Amino acid sequence: YTVCAVLVEPVEESPHGDLLDLPWQTELCCASRPAQLHHGGEGEDRGSAGSRAAPSDPGHPHTTQCIFRNFTSTLGPHPETEPSRATCWDILCRVDETWDNVVCDLNHPAASSDTSTPGSVALSLQHLATLPDSEVNTTHGTDSMDCVGKDSITCSIALHVVSSIVVVTANVSNTTAGPLVMLSVPPRLWKPSPPLNLTHTQTTEGELVLSWSDPQPNASPVQLSYEVRYNTFQSTSHPNWLHVEVSGGQWVSLTGLKPGLHYTVQIRSHHPALPHLWSDWSQQHRIRLENVTYLPERVMASFEDSVTVYCVFNDLRVNASTTVWILNSRDRLPKSQYTAVNDRVSKITVRPSEQRLSDTLHCCQPLGETYSCNYRYATIYIKDPVIDISCVTNGDLDSMTCRWNNLPIDGINFMSRVADLSCDVMEEAERVGVSVGVVRQAKCESSGYRGVKSCNLQPIRVTSCYKLWMEAKIDNSTRSHPVYITPMDHGCMTAVSMPSGVLKLAWVPPELPIYDMQYQVRYALSTGRVLALQTESWAEVLEPDVCGVYNVQVRCMHINGSGTWSDWSHLLYTTTHNSRAPDQGPDFWRVFQEDPESTQTNVTLLFEHSPIVEPTYCVEELVVQHQDSGGTVTEERIDLVSSYSFEWRGEVHSVTVKAQNSQGSSTRNTHMTLDRHPKRQCVRSFSASRVNSSCVVLLWSLHPNSSVPWSLVVEWSGQNHQDRPGQTPESRERWTRFPPTDKLLYLYGHFYDTDEYEFILYPVFEDGEGEPVYTKGKPSLKIGTDNTPGQKYVSMAAFTLAIRIGLPVKKI
């Protein structure tokens, strides 16, 4: 007979042999050989199956001898036992999936080369206590199990809570005692719980890393294995899951995700010993990559610090080497401050501004003379910035208006605290950490120009001290350095830019001292100027920039020149004199950046600001109005920028851009309707001819029975010429709009005969764009150079006709 001992829990090495782990698979092979006594020589593995044979039986000169030929351990066949006609059974002992039973399967393989008829075989599973008998609990199952068969046997015995040994005895007819193998049962394993806390982050190399945690981190001494699956949110009805196997950690790098798509991610786990006993899938985790990711997206810093921000382009069609960084939506930063980490990541190091609550950073791509910037941006919140807050008290001394520059009011809170103390006493108390006074609410208005804002405090206590500061709305820990003001010390001063080009200044003289004063005024737009001495409390200065914002200060001394000058007054920013709202908003065109795999499109609007003919108003900001297919209207206020980007999901979408100042917004504005539906055709022919290296003429005609478009837009781009040495970088893509009644148009710029150009003509209707027409190639010198008389006549006639009908000429 053959004996296998199975331990429910690991124990010390048994005197019967080494311990082997479950599951364990082997072959039991038996053959008849002359009886002999094997003494076991030096170097043999005495704990190995088949390492010792039974003593000879004098009654059986040819006894049957059995060995184990192990598949899953270091046990090998006995060197002296390779019977040519052995009878073999496959034996597999394991713990079942519920961890309640030890199961042993014994099978005679049908495809075996053994031609002998196997004898009967019996498996007997029996518990042997490793603790005193009094401690053995046998209430959980049978102590032994006998199973008999010929070709195959499956035998199982329940595992008890107490430590015990299950002895597996294989009785084969006419066999002697065989080898002994000790198998230990690993700690009980349960079906794992689903992973928790799924999160995803992006590294500064652009890698997207998904991580998670186990609900029972100490439940298993062995690291679990995981499977991650993900698909796009759009395909929930017929999910096409992508699977990733993970072992050795609780994170994985996901590749191939496209920006603009919503992905659903789930994870499950299993113990390596139970590869088919998976946990349930985790809760769904959503991932959506924007076209651009900033690392970090928000950071706090002092203006002396150096801040490094990474820009990750998730759109693989964009190369980070061409990135342009824009500060605060208007200032292009020098290339020396940024570099490409790899094809997808650009890195910049900047110092925060000193006089702002926050700075914004956009990483953009060149688009002709402008830039295409995603609507996302990185924000640097600045600790204790110094912001010029100037306040003036009105003539009735019942209100105080405070102004500042370069801060949009939408992003900040104007804060004030008033105490019936002198400012020296209040400032000293605040310095030692004593909070004095009460917080007062101010009424703030967006009535300035190019970021100049104001807030009004009313009523006021003219002899009290006011502590004034700014706070960021989304992070009230970001606040400016405070300013302490007593209203009586800040008499009224006004500064207005008049439409006639006159800068009018006026101020209230100080109440003390009583004697007459002389005054000196200084003001600045980009460079400062100081006015001559004067005795009047007003001044008028001729300045051509009627829409410029000047900062003005005044100081005084005794009229006879004795004594010293007073300190300069607080900065006051001029307001523009707007007698009416702007006439019309800017003209604009759009440029698309599309991903075929995404449902979204990045739309960049390129603005062409209308010249102000009569200086009776100034444009202070733009208002972009969006209307979706459901009729919902939203507005966004932006500065006087050259471009603006937003995400379009493909439905019918209308955009209107208005010009605005303190008197209202423009009523004559350009509208644009975005629609992916089929477009109407109205252009019959379109061609382009190069007159010379600085001029191209475009000719077109419309179908006679088609609808007349509201306007025509031509868009053109050239290749290679922007790389010519000594040339100013030209626009990669340009546009101009003109009325549909015109039949040809001259474009002035740089058009090289060796370069290839593409011209696109778009008919624009009130409800959207028509079908565009294209012409592409190297424009030839047709006008005035063709030697064919007829052709020359036609070209020159067309040229003459263009002059007679008042052809619009577009100079680039």
Side-chain angles (χ1 to χ4, degrees), residues 521-646:
V521 177
R522 67 180 181 183
Y523 67 100
L525 183 60
S526 57
T527 58
R529 292 184 57 187
V530 178
L531 299 182
L533 301 181
Q534 62 184 77
T535 58
E536 301 294 337
S537 59
W538 60 271
E540 291 186 355
V541 185
L542 288 175
E543 284 293 340
D545 189 355
V546 299
C547 292
V549 176
Y550 298 86
N551 55 70
V552 184
Q553 290 177 296
V554 63
R555 64 180 181 176
C556 61
M557 68 180 302
H558 197 284
I559 194 171
N560 63 12
S562 62
T564 59
W565 286 104
S566 69
D567 293 333
W568 288 105
S569 64
H570 283 269
L571 277 176
L572 174 69
Y573 297 100
T574 62
T575 58
T576 55
H577 181 81
N578 292 311
S579 60
R580 58 191 178 91
D583 289 329
Q584 65 182 46
D587 193 9
F588 62 92
W589 186 237
R590 87 295 175 276
V591 176
F592 295 138
Q593 286 181 302
E594 298 191 75
D595 183 351
E597 302 295 331
S598 173
T599 60
Q600 289 187 338
T601 299
N602 183 271
V603 181
T604 299
L605 303 184
L606 307 178
F607 298 122
E608 186 176 273
H609 297 283
S610 303
I612 299 176
V613 180
E614 297 181 3
T616 57
Y617 67 87
C618 294
V619 178
E620 299 173 356
E621 60 186 358
L622 301 180
V623 178
V624 182
Q625 185 181 84
H626 299 269
Q627 181 171 349
D628 60 23
S629 57
T632 302
V633 176
T634 58
E635 289 188 347
E636 183 176 357
R637 300 174 184 272
I638 60 176
D639 292 332
L640 297 180
V641 294
S642 58
S643 65
Y644 162 83
S645 297
F646 63 94

Side-chain angles (χ1 to χ4, degrees), residues 57 64 295 373 395 456 698 733 769:
D57 186 346
T64 300
L295 302 172
C373 306
N456 185 265
L698 305 178
E733 202 159 351
E769 298 173 18

Side-chain angles (χ1 to χ4, degrees), residues 197-274:
N197 304 322
L198 276 66
T199 58
H200 68 277
T201 57
Q202 213 159 6
T203 69
T204 54
E205 289 77 29
E207 184 182 25
L208 183 70
V209 176
L210 177 73
S211 60
W212 59 89
S213 61
D214 287 325
Q216 299 171 316
N218 301 318
S220 172
V222 182
Q223 176 67 53
L224 298 179
S225 297
Y226 304 92
E227 182 181 25
V228 179
R229 70 175 185 180
Y230 61 96
N231 73 343
T232 59
F233 183 70
Q234 288 84 352
S235 59
T236 52
S237 58
H238 301 286
N240 183 21
W241 293 103
L242 298 176
H243 294 259
V244 180
E245 299 287 342
V246 183
S247 59
Q250 296 177 346
W251 65 273
V252 66
S253 177
L254 298 180
T255 59
L257 273 64
K258 297 182 181 297
L261 295 180
H262 293 267
Y263 289 88
T264 300
V265 184
Q266 290 182 292
I267 307 175
R268 63 177 182 173
S269 62
H270 72 79
H271 192 281
L274 299 175

Side-chain angles (χ1 to χ4, degrees), residues 718-725 732 752 754-756 778:
Q719 298 179 355
N720 304 323
H721 68 277
Q722 71 271 21
D723 299 325
R724 291 180 182 272
R732 178 104 180 126
Y752 303 99
T754 58
D755 291 344
E756 185 177 70
K778 297 179 179 179

